[in-house]
């Protein structure tokens, strides 16, 4: 083979993948990240285990059956730590009216979880809040989105946390705000965020690949996030500074999803505040809007939609107190889907004569948790915790 022939073959080998990548077949089955039969899939979702659809008419029995179905879809949980939480305090500092600690807590035999804890000055026990961080396609920090990092933390982490607070929370850390008003506040990194991220550094496009690989082990990455939130809340209830009868949870965006999931599944949560994460699947996953995915693997539990929609799962928190706030300018969650979800949840709370303990609100705001929303969360907890 001549040098000219080798060069031609090499050029063809390079050009062929590029040409194929630019080509489109006349027939296809997927567009805009959805199957073309998405509307048919939605039409077939009848949610047979939702309250009112289920043949189970006793509310407590329904909750037990529906919760078990959620856990079934969450696949195998991480094994618990064999000898307790094995808590290590890594750093501590005094702030105005409360103390901040950086911890490592063993939530599973597999791993320890980095966390931040705020403890008010004075004599407890205090009410407590598990503050659940958002997604934001920003994985470099997790817990530091909820609680201001300690002075001993890396300067890049501190600068990034403040920039994120400015962007989504109008400059205020929700956890510190609640601690100043007398709440013990706990916040931990979810899997793939902060100090539980990738050795190579945060890469958003690798999240779904890693989630898929986790399924090859028979476990679900999103479920591990919820299992950890459950274990962390159980840990919070053991602290001597905490009144175990007055524990709540709060979060925005993915943190809002985590909040209503946690409230639905944990016996320790008495009140939950979910900001900017509630919708029905028929609106979330349809072709009617430019968005055709809101979180993907970050809130994907295998097969659950065949039994329960998002508001049905959130309704497992009934009759406990819940606050839901969504924004009319939020491009991630269509208002029509939010209103349907709110109506579905209100019907459940009304059926249990607990109307006053569910608050669903649409605010004129984008996907965010500004100061006025944080004030609303505080008022809600002051009323119910």
């Amino acid at each position: 083979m001549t040098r000219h022939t080798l060069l031609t073959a090499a050029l063809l080998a390079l050009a062929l993948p590029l040409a194929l990548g630019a080509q489109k077949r006349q027939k296809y089955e997927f567009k805009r990240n959805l199957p073309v039969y998405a509307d048919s899939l939605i039409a077939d979702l009848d949610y047979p285990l939702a309250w009112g659809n289920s043949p189970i008419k006793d509310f407590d029995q329904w909750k037990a059956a529906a919760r078990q179905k959620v856990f079934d879809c969450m696949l195998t949980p991480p094994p618990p730590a064999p000898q307790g939480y094995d808590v290590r305090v890594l750093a501590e500092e005094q702030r105005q009216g409360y103390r901040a600690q950086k911890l490592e807590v063993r939530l599973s035999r597999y791993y320890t979880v980095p966390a931040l804890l705020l403890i008010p000055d004075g004599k407890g026990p205090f009410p407590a809040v598990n503050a659940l961080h958002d997604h934001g396609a920003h994985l470099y920090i997790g817990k530091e989105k909820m609680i201001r990092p300690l002075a001993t933390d890396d300067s890049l982490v501190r600068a990034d946390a403040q920039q994120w607070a400015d962007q989504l929370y109008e400059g205020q850390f929700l956890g510190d705000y609640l601690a100043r008003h007398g709440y013990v506040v706990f916040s931990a990194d979810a899997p793939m965020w902060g100090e539980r991220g990738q050795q190579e550094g945060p890469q958003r496009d690798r999240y779904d690949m890693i989630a898929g690989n986790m399924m090859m082990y028979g476990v679900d990455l999103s479920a591990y996030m919820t299992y950890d939130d459950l274990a962390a809340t159980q840990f919070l209830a053991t602290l001597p500074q905490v009144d175990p009868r007055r524990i709540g949870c709060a979060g925005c965006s993915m943190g809002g999803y985590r909040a209503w999931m946690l409230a639905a599944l944990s016996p320790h949560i008495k009140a939950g505040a979910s900001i900017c994460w509630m919708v029905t699947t028929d609106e979330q996953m349809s072709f009617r809007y430019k968005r055709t995915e809101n979180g993907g693997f970050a809130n994907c539990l295998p097969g659950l939609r065949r039994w329960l929609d998002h508001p049905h799962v959130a309704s497992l928190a009934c009759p406990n107190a819940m606050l839901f706030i969504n924004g009319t300018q939020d491009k991630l969650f269509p208002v029509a889907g939010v209103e349907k979800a709110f109506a579905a949840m209100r019907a459940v709370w009304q059926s249990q004569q607990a109307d006053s303990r569910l608050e669903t609100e649409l605010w004129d705001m984008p996907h965010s948790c500004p100061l006025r929303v944080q004030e609303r969360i505080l008022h809600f907890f002051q009323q119910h915790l």
Side-chain angles (χ1 to χ4, degrees), residues 174-226:
L174 175 61
D176 291 77
Y177 175 64
L178 293 173
R180 288 197 299 271
H181 287 84
Y183 292 83
V184 171
V185 182
F186 176 92
S187 189
D189 288 332
M192 287 292 291
W193 273 266
E195 295 175 281
R196 302 182 72 187
Q198 298 169 254
Q199 181 184 33
E200 301 82 2
Q203 301 174 71
R204 171 62 185 90
D205 60 342
R206 294 295 178 91
Y207 183 94
D208 293 348
M209 182 183 296
I210 290 173
N213 286 340
M214 293 285 282
M215 285 186 176
M216 297 298 286
Y217 300 110
V219 300
D220 181 81
L221 185 58
S222 175
Y224 262 43
M225 177 173 67
T226 299

Side-chain angles (χ1 to χ4, degrees), residues 32 39 42 282-283 286-290 340:
R32 285 176 49 196
D39 290 343
I42 289 170
D282 63 335
E283 300 291 338
S286 76
F287 283 111
R288 287 191 292 276
Y289 307 96
K290 292 182 180 180
K340 286 181 186 178

Side-chain angles (χ1 to χ4, degrees), residues 204-384:
R204 171 62 185 90
D205 60 342
R206 294 295 178 91
Y207 183 94
D208 293 348
M209 182 183 296
I210 290 173
N213 286 340
M214 293 285 282
M215 285 186 176
M216 297 298 286
Y217 300 110
V219 300
D220 181 81
L221 185 58
S222 175
Y224 262 43
M225 177 173 67
T226 299
Y227 280 127
D228 286 349
D229 290 342
L230 289 163
T233 305
Q234 189 169 332
F235 161 72
L236 192 56
T238 68
L239 296 179
Q241 303 94 337
V242 171
D243 182 348
R245 300 164 299 176
R246 295 189 292 159
I247 298 178
C249 59
C252 174
S253 192
M254 184 184 76
Y257 165 83
R258 294 169 68 189
W260 57 255
M261 279 291 290
L262 180 57
L265 300 177
S266 172
H268 296 291
I269 297 296
K270 305 306 178 188
S274 173
I275 312 303
C276 291
W277 210 118
M278 181 47 68
V279 71
T280 53
T281 297
D282 63 335
E283 300 291 338
Q284 178 193 28
M285 301 301 295
S286 76
F287 283 111
R288 287 191 292 276
Y289 307 96
K290 292 182 180 180
R291 290 284 299 190
T292 52
E293 175 269 322
N294 290 297
F297 276 110
N299 48 70
C300 178
L301 303 179
L304 183 56
R305 288 294 82 78
R306 290 287 156 176
W307 299 95
L308 298 157
D309 202 358
H310 305 300
H312 307 142
V313 177
S315 294
L316 290 168
C318 178
N320 287 338
M322 291 295 296
L323 169 66
F324 291 87
I325 298 175
N326 270 65
T328 57
Q329 301 174 43
D330 190 333
K331 296 180 181 179
L332 299 184
F333 297 98
V335 171
V338 175
E339 290 178 330
K340 286 181 186 178
F342 284 179
M345 291 188 295
R346 282 196 297 269
V348 177
W349 264 261
Q350 288 168 2
S351 76
Q352 302 307 304
Q353 293 76 52
D355 313 39
S356 63
R357 301 183 66 77
L358 175 67
E359 302 176 57
T360 57
E361 302 173 3
L362 270 170
W363 290 35
D364 182 17
M365 67 178 195
H367 191 78
S368 62
C369 187
L371 297 180
R372 59 196 179 104
V373 170
Q374 296 181 49
E375 291 172 5
R376 179 72 181 88
I377 293 170
L378 174 62
H379 177 75
F380 171 76
F381 284 141
Q382 287 174 333
Q383 185 178 4
H384 294 288

Side-chain angles (χ1 to χ4, degrees), residues 91-215:
E92 186 172 12
E93 69 184 28
Q94 183 65 36
R95 296 181 179 175
Q96 190 170 359
Y98 58 100
R99 188 168 75 257
Q101 294 181 336
K102 184 173 183 178
L103 310 175
E104 278 188 353
V105 185
R106 181 163 291 282
L107 296 184
S108 167
R109 175 164 55 86
Y110 292 158
Y111 47 75
T112 59
V113 174
L116 294 170
L117 179 69
L118 305 179
I119 304 169
D121 296 342
K123 184 178 179 182
F126 304 98
V129 174
N130 191 346
L132 306 156
H133 70 73
D134 60 71
H135 186 307
H138 185 70
L139 283 66
Y140 181 64
I141 55 173
K143 59 190 179 298
E144 298 89 358
K145 295 179 179 183
M146 291 282 96
I147 293 175
R148 179 163 55 87
L150 273 65
T152 53
D153 279 319
D154 187 283
S155 60
L156 293 177
V157 170
R158 288 186 278 117
D160 192 65
Q162 186 60 61
Q163 184 177 4
W164 194 256
D166 293 342
Q167 177 178 324
L168 196 64
Y169 298 93
E170 211 169 0
Q172 179 170 265
F173 292 91
L174 175 61
D176 291 77
Y177 175 64
L178 293 173
R180 288 197 299 271
H181 287 84
Y183 292 83
V184 171
V185 182
F186 176 92
S187 189
D189 288 332
M192 287 292 291
W193 273 266
E195 295 175 281
R196 302 182 72 187
Q198 298 169 254
Q199 181 184 33
E200 301 82 2
Q203 301 174 71
R204 171 62 185 90
D205 60 342
R206 294 295 178 91
Y207 183 94
D208 293 348
M209 182 183 296
I210 290 173
N213 286 340
M214 293 285 282
M215 285 186 176

